[in-house]
Amino acid sequence: MAIDPTKDYYADYQECREFIKNSSDSNSKDVQRAKEHLMFYSGDQFSSIKDDLHRGKRINKSFSELPKYVQSIKSAASKSPYHSELARSSTLGESGSSQSLEQYQKTFDTIEADNDYKSQMMQGIDSAIVTGIGVVLLTTVMDEITGEAKYVIESLRDISKVAFDRDCIKDDKSDAEGCAIINYVSKRKAKRDFGDNTVLPTGITEAFPSQWIIPEDSVPLITYYRKGFDENKGKVEYFQFCGKECIAYELLNLPMIPVFKMTGYIVYRDNKFVSVGIIDRVQDLQVGANLAYSALFERLNRSVKAGYICVAEAIEGLHDEISKLADGDTPLFLYKNGFEKPTQIIEAFNTDDLMSVLSTSANLMSSVIGVPSQG
């Protein structure tokens, strides 16, 4: 169903805006936490804490144990990926014949086979492991050969672009009444592809929750799903808004919103159940390992550099030659005849205590996550 040129979709746009605001009010803390944990996993493990730890001018190095745990969990999931398999249900009645079940199963198998299903699911699982939030959606694309629409399963890498239904009870959001995905396009692209009406006049702005601050010279491109009412009951309405203009509308023959959340650990915070990943569980342990690793560098940096002990008269006048030792230009340490042979300093520093901290941190992480420390 294409856009009806006689219909005004502004009320639908306003409903979409209100949905996004409500979602932000309910979920923005969870999304911000997930983004911070993703940054921590990606290697930014000191910027937010070094001031609190008074480490502004000290060596700050990361010795991340996290990737091997994530890979270990993903590896187990990859060996037995999720697969849709229909089973006979009493709700099918007599119409649920073996032939129809086989036909539906074949359709599901085709959907999984025709797109990078496993890779997309693993990408969603990866995000769920790290941050506790992974997002997969069922969408359609035009088949380049047949020209027909076909179903595709995609994973949304940037979870901050998704506005979930604040009133969902189920962790996977399968009971959602609506969902929105917010992207941005340049004003030039919006005018070229969707018309001048999609871009607001200069000086007029459209306020969005801080979770979705509109970049300069850009226009929000919003995909909005909602369950239908009245004659559309039992189906899902699909809208796409560029600016305030509705640029696409379809009535999807689906019983639920085709956007699903993949979860990690379910915990109770801020008077509600939320999903967190392994970073939430072991972040402090990883910081402890980083401090020990950084102290190792500092101790190495302060250790005595390779050198010699001798009386000053033994090397008087030979300073230029001796200084070339560091550059490798002079292979021998020269000293004057008649003086006692210089004594070489053997470099050594203690690391047992720091290695013990690193080992203990690794073992505690393994215990908390439930995955062997070897990965």
Side-chain angles (χ1 to χ4, degrees):
M1 184 185 299
I3 294 177
D4 185 349
T6 65
K7 182 179 177 180
D8 184 1
Y9 291 93
Y10 186 70
D12 300 306
Y13 170 75
Q14 288 292 85
E15 179 187 308
C16 173
R17 285 287 311 281
E18 185 66 20
F19 178 90
I20 290 173
K21 179 182 181 301
N22 291 338
S23 176
S24 180
D25 291 343
S26 177
N27 302 317
S28 59
K29 285 186 178 180
D30 302 328
V31 173
Q32 182 60 32
R33 170 194 50 75
K35 290 171 67 176
E36 291 173 357
H37 286 177
L38 182 59
M39 290 175 63
F40 187 89
Y41 175 74
S42 300
D44 185 7
Q45 300 183 354
F46 267 108
S47 63
S48 63
I49 62 172
K50 65 181 181 181
D51 290 339
D52 295 336
L53 298 176
H54 307 291
R55 299 187 62 86
K57 295 182 179 180
R58 297 184 62 178
I59 294 176
N60 298 305
K61 296 291 183 179
S62 299
F63 183 72
S64 183
E65 293 278 321
L66 301 170
K68 70 178 181 182
Y69 291 115
V70 173
Q71 190 58 43
S72 180
I73 297 171
K74 283 176 58 180
S75 178
S78 179
K79 292 176 182 177
S80 182
Y82 178 82
H83 170 65
S84 303
E85 188 166 342
L86 296 177
R88 184 180 297 279
S89 170
S90 58
T91 57
L92 290 173
E94 294 298 325
S95 61
S97 65
S98 298
Q99 185 176 0
S100 61
L101 282 176
E102 291 176 1
Q103 199 170 25
Y104 286 129
Q105 184 64 58
K106 186 176 180 180
T107 301
F108 277 113
D109 294 344
T110 301
I111 293 173
E112 293 180 5
D114 283 354
N115 60 79
D116 196 8
Y117 169 78
K118 182 177 178 180
S119 175
Q120 295 299 312
M121 292 296 289
M122 293 310 300
Q123 184 173 305
I125 289 174
D126 185 288
S127 182
I129 295 169
V130 174
T131 68
I133 304 175
V135 182
V136 291
L137 65 90
L138 180 67
T139 185
T140 57
V141 296
M142 191 68 68
D143 191 300
E144 297 179 355
I145 298 177
T146 65
E148 298 179 353
K150 67 176 184 179
Y151 288 106
V152 173
I153 296 169
E154 292 183 351
S155 171
L156 294 181
R157 187 183 296 274
D158 189 351
I159 58 176
S160 65
K161 293 182 178 181
V162 183
F164 288 115
D165 187 349
R166 68 172 182 180
D167 297 319
C168 285
I169 297 175
K170 295 183 177 180
D171 296 323
D172 64 359
K173 309 299 182 183
S174 60
D175 58 340
E177 291 293 318
C179 185
I181 301 172
I182 299 90
N183 289 289
Y184 307 98
V185 295
S186 67
K187 291 182 178 180
R188 180 175 181 177
K189 178 177 174 61
K191 286 182 178 181
R192 184 188 69 223
D193 294 351
F194 310 121
D196 292 340
N197 291 337
T198 59
V199 179
L200 296 175
T202 303
I204 299 178
T205 59
E206 189 78 342
F208 270 72
S210 58
Q211 183 180 335
W212 298 286
I213 297 176
I214 302 174
E216 187 177 356
D217 200 35
S218 297
V219 180
L221 184 65
I222 307 172
T223 299
Y224 178 50
Y225 300 91
R226 75 179 181 196
K227 285 190 174 181
F229 294 91
D230 300 328
E231 69 274 10
N232 295 332
K233 187 175 182 180
K235 298 181 180 180
V236 172
E237 292 182 282
Y238 163 88
F239 300 86
Q240 192 169 46
F241 298 102
C242 185
K244 294 183 178 181
E245 290 291 311
C246 183
I247 58 173
Y249 173 81
E250 295 289 340
L251 189 61
L252 307 178
N253 190 22
L254 297 171
M256 62 181 65
I257 305 298
V259 183
F260 303 95
K261 177 182 176 182
M262 306 178 82
T263 65
Y265 304 101
I266 303 299
V267 298
Y268 190 73
R269 291 181 185 168
D270 298 325
N271 297 316
K272 62 180 181 179
F273 289 99
V274 298
S275 176
V276 299
I278 66 171
I279 307 301
D280 188 85
R281 292 291 184 92
V282 301
Q283 186 171 10
D284 290 342
L285 294 173
Q286 179 61 64
V287 169
N290 291 344
L291 292 175
Y293 189 56
S294 299
L296 192 65
F297 270 81
E298 290 179 323
R299 192 172 295 180
L300 176 63
N301 192 49
R302 292 195 303 266
S303 66
V304 179
K305 303 302 182 289
Y308 294 82
I309 298 176
C310 65
V311 296
E313 291 79 2
I315 59 174
E316 186 176 358
L318 300 174
H319 297 89
D320 289 342
E321 294 298 322
I322 293 174
S323 65
K324 294 178 181 179
L325 278 170
D327 300 326
D329 295 333
T330 301
L332 301 175
F333 187 95
L334 303 179
Y335 67 98
K336 290 183 177 180
N337 188 26
F339 289 91
E340 186 178 347
K341 178 181 177 181
T343 303
Q344 185 177 5
I345 299 173
I346 305 300
E347 183 179 2
F349 62 99
N350 185 29
T351 63
D352 292 348
D353 55 339
L354 298 179
M355 296 306 295
S356 177
V357 173
L358 289 170
S359 178
T360 301
S361 297
N363 290 334
L364 287 173
M365 283 189 200
S366 174
S367 178
V368 171
I369 297 174
V371 174
S373 60
Q374 291 80 11

